[in-house]
Amino acid sequence: MPPSVPSPRRVARILRTSLFAQVACALVLGIVVGRLWPDTATTFQPLGDGFVRLIKTVISPLVFCVVVVGIAKAGNLKAFGRIGLKALIWFEVASTAALLLGLIAANVVSPGSGMNVDPSKLDASAVDGKTGGGSLPSTSEFVLEALPQSAVGAFAENSLLQVLVLACLVGAALLHLGHTKVPAILPAIEQAQEIIFAIVAFVMKLAPLAVFGAMVHLVGEYGLGVIETYGQLIILCYAVAALFLVLLSVALKLVTGLSLWKFVRYTREELLLALGTASSETVMPRMMQKLRQAGARDDAVGLVLPTGYSFNLDGASIYLSIGTLFIAQAVGVELSLGQQITVILVLMLTSKGMAGVPGSAFLALSATASALGVIPAGAVALLLGVDRIMDSMRVVTNLLGNCVAVFAVSRWEGALDIERAKKMLNGEIAFVEEDTESVPKAEVPVRADGGGKSEEPTAEARVPAVEEAEDPASDPTVSEGKAALAKAPAGEAS
């Protein structure tokens, strides 16, 4: 029998209800429009930029709420400190492995060999235009910048590290004072968190428009010809990223027993959105929701994921190591083993200060070239044409690397519900939007007939036994309380 063709009504229902289908269609449509009408690139660019702005609006308050609630509910500040230390260890190991993998691949394949580029003919000023004349912070500056100078300024500047430090201080203060002294603070923060998740749900409905606008801008402005010019470099970077993700999946399986492929399937909407908008920040709120519902404890999610956005840039590490050798090979400079070790050491430092800095990849490459002293600074301009194409690789690899870190560190600290995680990734429990669910981790089982997940829980399922508790007289605890009061002396009863 020939395969059944979905009916138009079914296709329409999938497009109406599935964010993945909407984003995928927008992605393809954006590529087609950008290819056929490249002049419209700037016209549709505000769609993607506006969506990113809306998401960035809620990231800082969301991280603050999740971290404060996580610390307060965990009830142990030392455990929170252990999570942070273990996360930093994981980040350093993972990013160093990514740098080494990229360096080895660039030595084996030599993507820049034979180009014989004359650096004097390159427009070095174009790099300044890309970076805005900025520079990467030094180690001391990076540490100081992580400390908030103003509580309002941390949120206004959307500085995640500063917000994290502030959240840790507030969470520690709540633990110190106890719920009896400040009984209204924690419930208020929890309620603010629910409001933020509701806002995220509203904004996510605009995701297909954002992906469409971003893809039209990308294809229309940069074209597809750059793929032909830098084909070998692009293929190498994406292949190394895929190999790194395979190694990450093995590590995840060994540490937690979970499957990275199943996690990719579980978060396919978010990954496709990050791919289309070339921004991992657009999906941070949803990723936090999905990780929490997949069994990772609130404090682990709230600390590890946002910190990884600054400290665990695996995709960027792969690109920087390959890019450095590509530039050297293109201008005819052969780097010795000692110089390549210098590349690793420099990039281990510069990659930590990249987050939030415009043109940070070029600043890191320029800093590496200056440290080596044998690569002309203007040669960095060789990567201007291909940098935007690499965004998708960097974003997806960074995002998956940080999510694996959340699971691994949570398991390491005993903050991961393995059984729930396996059920969630196997599709036995459905993801529930937290703005419509009073209990974020309420399980939604698959249908008994095996036909897939059940629909959204009914009101009766979401608010169990409300009717039975409405009559105070029928509540045995109320009756016992009344009896105790009746027997108590008058002074005690008051």
Side-chain angles (χ1 to χ4, degrees), residues 229-412:
T229 306
Y230 292 93
Q232 191 175 13
L233 176 63
I234 294 171
I235 292 172
L236 178 62
C237 285
Y238 276 81
V240 172
L243 177 59
F244 178 77
L245 291 178
V246 170
L247 296 177
L248 266 187
S249 68
V250 173
L252 180 65
K253 191 73 174 179
L254 291 175
V255 175
T256 66
L258 302 177
S259 166
L260 182 61
W261 168 248
K262 290 181 179 179
F263 179 76
V264 169
R265 187 176 59 189
Y266 170 58
T267 58
R268 58 188 181 274
E269 294 96 345
E270 291 73 28
L271 291 173
L272 194 60
L273 176 58
L275 188 71
T277 58
S279 171
S280 56
E281 288 186 334
T282 57
V283 297
M284 182 194 284
R286 284 268 295 195
M287 277 298 190
M288 293 180 79
Q289 282 182 298
K290 288 206 163 182
L291 287 166
R292 293 167 69 203
Q293 291 194 29
R297 210 166 64 195
D298 287 4
D299 53 346
V301 175
L303 181 62
V304 178
L305 189 64
T307 307
Y309 273 62
S310 295
F311 287 92
N312 192 38
L313 305 175
D314 299 328
S317 298
I318 291 171
Y319 171 63
L320 291 174
S321 56
I322 294 177
T324 301
L325 261 68
F326 170 80
I327 293 169
Q329 293 163 0
V331 298
V333 174
E334 186 174 347
L335 299 180
S336 65
L337 178 61
Q339 289 170 327
Q340 293 193 30
I341 292 175
T342 302
V343 169
I344 293 291
L345 295 176
V346 172
L347 290 178
M348 282 174 63
L349 294 175
T350 56
S351 62
K352 300 298 183 291
M354 288 175 57
V357 180
S360 55
F362 290 97
L363 292 172
L365 288 169
S366 299
T368 307
S370 300
L372 292 172
V374 293
I375 301 177
V380 176
L382 269 174
L383 294 176
L384 280 170
V386 74
D387 184 69
R388 182 61 180 83
I389 303 296
M390 297 298 187
D391 273 348
S392 300
M393 178 275 292
R394 291 193 296 244
V395 164
V396 172
T397 309
N398 291 345
L399 188 58
L400 285 176
N402 288 326
C403 291
V404 169
V406 171
F407 280 126
V409 174
S410 298
R411 174 63 169 168
W412 193 1

Side-chain angles (χ1 to χ4, degrees), residues 450-461:
K453 301 178 185 65
S454 62
E455 299 299 325
E456 184 182 346
T458 61
E460 291 79 9

